[in-house]
Every structure is written in structure tokens, then in C-alpha cells.
Amino acid sequence: GNSVTQMEGPVTLSEEAFLTINCTYTATGYPSLFWYVQYPGEGLQLLLKATKADDKGSNKGFEATYRKETTSFHLEKGSVQVSDSAVYFCALSVQNSGYSTLTFGKGTMLLVSP
Amino acid sequence: EPEVTQTPSHQVTQMGQEVILRCVPISNHLYFYWYRQILGQKVEFLVSFYNNEISEKSEIFDDQFSVERPDGSNFTLKIRSTKLEDSAMYFCASSEEGSPNYEQYFGPGTRLTVT
């Protein structure tokens, strides 16, 4: 089956620190990989995605590279801000006969202090 | 920018009661989904819906659950007889196509509390 494992939180950082949130996956088939972000009191928003090996997804200073050899999609940001405090979900999707569903990790809470 | 909307934002119900959660997907989208998130846990897939029928459903989506697209705009999730363990945030999502290359847009969620 499909599954996503991501590092336990919370991750607590000071503003301008470097962020890494680890994510590894198992999948039947060739997955697309995603990072979603959930700000307090809000729904899920797509942060970035990558659809094939060695692709790098990026958005708002966040990056993640699709590593097929290590089945990983780690999220990084060079300098976090207080406004980045949120829960981050790694997810994958495998196409099944014309449709696809998302399989999520447990989420990692990021807390950034000034 | 078009968005997925959900109503109500919070629903409190007693165990054994029926609830209907409502969603309005983005108008030109063809694929619809329900996910749920029990407090502190991961987001779990419930069901996908296309062309007026269920495409796929998870083990969670048992006979107590049903989905419907009663008109051209709404997409509903019904829980026939709620249990305490149904308490969760329920997210509706929609996408233009079914391929993973097409983003699933999520609504803000309905928090269901079963007492």
C-alpha cells in the first residue's frame, strides 16, 4: 500500500533559522509528491509539488526534491519567519484509472519564535 | 480566486443522530473528495466521487457514510448514525481532473463534534 512517514514535531526554531522536515514514502506505482500547509484555524493549502524523480518543487522560499533512490521528499527553507508557523503535511498521490487520492503523513508542527 | 466552501464550520450533534456536511466545489471541477482529520492525527482519505458515482472509498467509509451531488453545485457527506469516534474535522476537496498532476483544492473544513 501507500504510506508517508514524516518527522515528529513540534519543530521549534528561531526566526531566520534553517528548516528541514524529513519525509519518506512507500508507494505502489509512481507517485506524485506534495507538501501541504495548514495554518491555525484554516484548511489545507498546497505548498509545493513534484511529479517525477529529481524534480524540485518550490514556493515561498520552501523547496523539496523528489528523490526516488531514497524515496524521500524533504522540505527545506533557508530562513524561516514567524508567519511560517503552521502544520506541514507531506503527501503522495498515485493515479488509479483516471483518478487519484492523497495519502498524507501525520503532519509536523513548526513553531517559529521571534 | 475560486475556492471550495463548506458549511457549517462547526456542527455539534448527539450520538446516533444523522448529520449532513455540505460542500460547494469549484465550479469547473469534476472530481470531488472527502477527507477527515481526527484531532492531532493525520488527514485520512474517505471517498472520491466522479460522474455521479463513487470512484474509490477507504475502509473508514462504511455503510454509515454516503455522498451525494444533489444538484449542479453541492456535494454532501451524510453520516447516518454518528458515533463518538466520528468527531473530526472533515475536509472537502475538488480537482479539475483526476490525475495527480492536478491540484486538489481543499475547503476550510467542518468540525464535527459528537457528544
Side-chain angles (χ1 to χ4, degrees):
Chain A
N2 301 325
S3 68
V4 175
T5 302
Q6 58 184 110
M7 61 190 290
E8 296 279 335
V11 173
T12 305
L13 296 173
S14 298
E15 208 164 23
E16 299 184 3
F18 185 86
L19 168 71
T20 299
I21 300 177
N22 290 336
C23 170
T24 57
Y25 67 89
T26 58
T28 54
Y30 200 121
S32 294
L33 302 174
F34 306 84
W35 277 100
Y36 278 82
V37 59
Q38 185 180 32
Y39 297 103
E42 299 185 14
L44 298 162
Q45 301 174 26
L46 179 65
L47 180 60
L48 54 84
K49 70 177 184 182
T51 58
K52 62 183 188 296
D54 300 325
D55 269 2
K56 178 186 283 188
S58 60
N59 186 24
K60 300 181 182 178
F62 290 89
E63 298 183 332
T65 301
Y66 190 143
R67 301 284 187 205
K68 192 165 185 283
E69 64 276 14
T70 54
T71 62
S72 65
F73 193 56
H74 304 320
L75 182 69
E76 295 181 337
K77 186 175 186 183
S79 176
V80 293
Q81 306 300 311
V82 172
S83 57
D84 293 327
S85 297
V87 181
Y88 293 81
F89 291 90
C90 185
L92 67 82
S93 181
V94 180
Q95 184 151 359
N96 297 302
S97 302
Y99 59 89
S100 61
T101 61
L102 289 163
T103 299
F104 288 88
K106 289 187 175 181
T108 302
M109 179 177 287
L110 171 64
L111 299 170
V112 181
S113 56
Chain B
E1 186 176 331
E3 58 182 14
V4 176
T5 59
Q6 291 185 243
T7 54
S9 57
H10 190 191
Q11 173 91 47
V12 181
T13 189
Q14 288 190 326
M15 198 166 50
Q17 295 297 304
E18 175 184 286
V19 294
I20 297 177
L21 309 183
R22 290 183 167 79
C23 168
V24 179
I26 295 173
S27 61
N28 65 330
H29 286 186
L30 301 177
Y31 291 79
F32 313 114
Y33 312 84
W34 283 102
Y35 294 82
R36 81 171 184 190
Q37 183 184 28
I38 295 172
L39 187 63
Q41 299 188 25
K42 65 180 178 180
V43 177
E44 302 172 291
F45 166 74
L46 293 178
V47 66
S48 60
F49 191 85
Y50 169 71
N51 200 26
N52 281 321
E53 58 183 31
I54 291 173
S55 313
E56 186 178 1
K57 58 184 181 179
S58 70
E59 294 174 351
I60 304 167
F61 195 88
D62 61 22
D63 292 343
Q64 293 299 313
F65 292 88
S66 62
V67 289
E68 192 177 32
R69 189 156 163 81
D71 53 43
S73 60
N74 289 282
F75 179 51
T76 62
L77 174 70
K78 182 193 291 186
I79 308 175
R80 196 179 352 266
S81 176
T82 50
K83 303 188 283 284
L84 293 176
E85 53 265 38
D86 293 328
S87 295
M89 181 75 90
Y90 287 80
F91 293 106
C92 173
S94 70
S95 64
E96 196 174 336
E97 297 280 348
S99 161
N101 294 329
Y102 286 83
E103 179 180 348
Q104 291 186 24
Y105 290 81
F106 283 77
T110 293
R111 179 168 297 286
L112 176 65
T113 303
V114 182
T115 61

